[in-house]
Amino acid sequence: MKTVCNILHSTGRYLRVCAKWLVLAILVGCLTGPLGAAFGLALSWANATRAVQGWLLYLLPVGGLVIVFLYRHFDPEGGGSTNQVFAAVRERKVLTLRTAPLIFFSTVTTHLLGGSSGREGAALLLGGSVSGQVGRLLRLNRHDCRLMTMCGMAGAFSAIFGTPLAATVFTIEVVNVGSMQYAALLPCLVSALLGVWISRMMGLAPTAFTLGATADADPVTLLQVLVLGMLLAALSILFCELLHVTPKLYSRFFPNPYLRVVVGGLLIIALTKLLGTTDYNGAGSAVIAAAMVGQALPWAFVCKMLFTALTLGAGYKGGEIVPIFFTGATFGCVVAPLLGLPAPLGAALGMVALFCGCTNSPLASICLGLEVFGGQCLPLFALVCAVSYMLSSYFSLYHEQHFLHSKLRIGDVQRLEGRWTETEEEN
């Protein structure tokens, strides 16, 4: 009888916890879904408006001054980077509510005036700050507020990009590489599914492509994909280091943040006029779509990396993920035919594998390939992500990303500046 009572008591406790997080996840999804959709629609409007009103590019330095002023006066410690939400998750802190309007306004302004940045990183901040504050309002403890922040991240990411599985896995995988908090799986997935459903109802279409060319997973193709993954791992290291070194160079030569953002804006204007195209301003979704059908300039990926580094390093806001998609897609489109792979397939593999190498999130990257490309050639996506993850070493877009386990065995690699720590030695 005592054993039965214990089982019933334990079952009841699990049911109460499950019900609690279902309710909280639904609440977060209903909040972050409309916010993410509004953010995505605002960015679409900004990019479309700039395409028609080309003179807006000349206002980029002015917009930069406004962005720096707002952050220096209202969020001097946060800075508006994705690292901010990662630190909040790890340290069980709640982001301030002002983080949401600041990142919303500054990212839309950056896109409207021609800066090169993404949207998903900003969405993580947007969703995480709002959901964390809801947790505080409900007087949840620090652990529960941390989980609420993660639900908000998944909900907003899913709403703006339309990939609930990738958003969920990315949220629980990316902060501490090698350790996934599976307790967050159910609430984050519920928030992500609600977020994407609401965003679709509001008219924001999910990101999806149909592969125009496929390949069988035969030995020759596997070898070609393996080589492509190696090249993309090297490119991910280059991209990460470029994004990290550029703000240091700006700070060295232009210590004043207002002067720094003006110089950055002027450099973007000058490069745009020099190249005679606006393909590298804003998100660059049209170029990504063109790469998926096998059309990309050989130097497009280099230009996008440069534009993004100059934009974000100067102090403009936005995420890094869409520029990663742009860079990976155009690089893969150009390099794949040299290896014997179809250009559209190379673009798709490049987009996903570069994301994996830069963020160290292989499972989320495979989910991304599944949702964006409909499951076509999924084994090839898995292989290229595995190679990119392994060979990208401990380089990362995010300073606040920690490696809890080495990518190799103990004794085969040196620790890199404390970027990773093992919880226990391997045998």
Side-chain angles (χ1 to χ4, degrees):
M1 180 62 70
K2 186 177 180 180
T3 302
V4 173
C5 290
N6 288 339
I7 293 175
L8 291 175
H9 176 74
S10 178
T11 302
R13 184 160 58 90
Y14 276 102
L15 288 174
R16 287 194 301 271
V17 172
C18 183
K20 166 189 170 181
W21 281 109
L22 281 175
V23 172
L24 291 175
I26 290 171
L27 174 61
V28 171
C30 289
L31 288 173
T32 56
L35 280 174
F39 185 49
L41 292 171
L43 291 177
S44 297
W45 167 83
N47 283 284
T49 301
R50 190 196 66 254
V52 176
Q53 306 292 339
W55 57 270
L56 287 171
L57 177 65
Y58 298 104
L59 297 180
L60 184 59
V62 178
L65 290 173
V66 174
I67 291 171
V68 171
F69 174 83
L70 290 175
Y71 271 94
R72 285 179 64 85
H73 285 79
F74 296 103
D75 192 18
E77 296 182 358
S81 72
T82 312
N83 289 292
Q84 191 177 353
V85 71
F86 286 3
V89 170
R90 179 178 299 105
E91 299 170 9
R92 295 182 174 87
K93 293 181 179 179
V94 177
L95 295 169
T96 60
L97 190 58
R98 60 178 174 269
T99 302
L102 279 174
I103 197 63
F104 192 113
F105 172 80
S106 60
T107 302
V108 172
T109 299
T110 298
H111 280 248
L112 177 65
L113 303 181
S116 174
S117 69
R119 52 186 183 174
E120 280 73 15
L124 295 175
L125 270 174
L126 183 68
S129 63
V130 171
S131 58
Q133 285 296 323
V134 171
R136 174 176 287 179
L137 184 65
L138 296 175
R139 300 184 182 277
L140 301 179
N141 60 39
R142 292 180 64 190
H143 176 78
D144 287 352
C145 283
R146 174 181 186 267
L147 193 46
M148 287 286 284
T149 300
M150 294 175 70
C151 288
M153 292 166 62
F157 189 109
S158 177
I160 198 170
F161 202 63
T163 54
L165 291 180
T168 299
V169 177
F170 180 78
T171 299
I172 63 179
E173 180 184 29
V174 71
V175 179
N176 294 311
V177 179
S179 175
M180 297 179 66
Q181 185 181 358
Y182 291 110
L185 181 60
L186 176 62
C188 286
L189 183 58
V190 170
S191 295
L193 290 170
L194 266 178
V196 71
W197 179 77
I198 292 173
S199 69
R200 288 178 181 178
M201 293 299 102
M202 293 178 62
L204 185 63
T207 300
F209 298 100
T210 300
L211 278 179
T214 60
D216 295 328
D218 55 58
V220 174
T221 300
L222 295 180
L223 181 60
Q224 293 166 333
V225 171
L226 187 71
V227 175
L228 180 61
M230 293 177 180
L231 296 175
L232 287 162
L235 184 62
S236 72
I237 294 173
L238 176 62
F239 201 173
C240 290
E241 287 302 285
L242 182 62
L243 289 180
H244 292 325
V245 75
T246 305
K248 295 177 182 178
L249 291 175
Y250 269 123
S251 298
R252 178 181 176 183
F253 293 103
F254 308 103
N256 186 294
Y258 291 102
L259 177 60
R260 190 157 61 234
V261 80
V262 169
V263 170
L266 292 175
L267 286 174
I268 294 297
I269 294 172
L271 282 174
T272 302
K273 293 304 175 183
L274 178 65
L275 294 173
T277 178
T278 58
D279 284 350
Y280 311 111
N281 304 100
S285 299
V287 178
I288 298 174
M292 292 304 162
V293 294
Q295 300 174 9
L297 295 173
W299 55 84
F301 72 95
V302 176
C303 292
K304 188 60 175 180
M305 289 196 301
L306 180 60
F307 270 71
T308 304
L310 290 174
T311 298
L312 299 180
Y316 296 92
K317 301 302 176 184
E320 307 91 349
I321 294 179
V322 172
I324 289 174
F325 291 164
F326 183 118
T327 303
T330 51
F331 177 85
C333 182
V334 171
V335 172
L338 303 178
L339 299 174
L341 292 169
L345 178 60
L349 294 173
M351 171 178 155
V352 174
L354 190 64
F355 171 75
C356 178
C358 289
T359 63
N360 295 287
S361 52
L363 297 182
S365 301
I366 295 171
C367 290
L368 187 71
L370 172 65
E371 292 181 298
V372 173
F373 299 101
Q376 294 177 283
C377 300
L378 190 59
L380 301 183
F381 281 100
L383 176 61
V384 77
C385 287
V387 174
S388 179
Y389 171 75
M390 176 62 73
L391 297 183
S392 61
S393 186
Y394 301 98
F395 294 89
S396 172
L397 279 179
Y398 313 116
H399 289 298
E400 289 294 337
Q401 185 177 57
H402 288 183
F403 296 84
L404 298 186
H405 298 277
S406 72
K407 292 185 179 182
L408 300 174
R409 293 177 60 85
I410 287 289
D412 293 335
V413 66
Q414 293 182 339
R415 299 189 178 207
L416 301 179
E417 300 177 358
R419 289 300 306 278
W420 64 270
T421 54
E422 288 256 272
T423 54
E424 60 182 24
E425 291 189 359
E426 298 173 3
N427 296 323

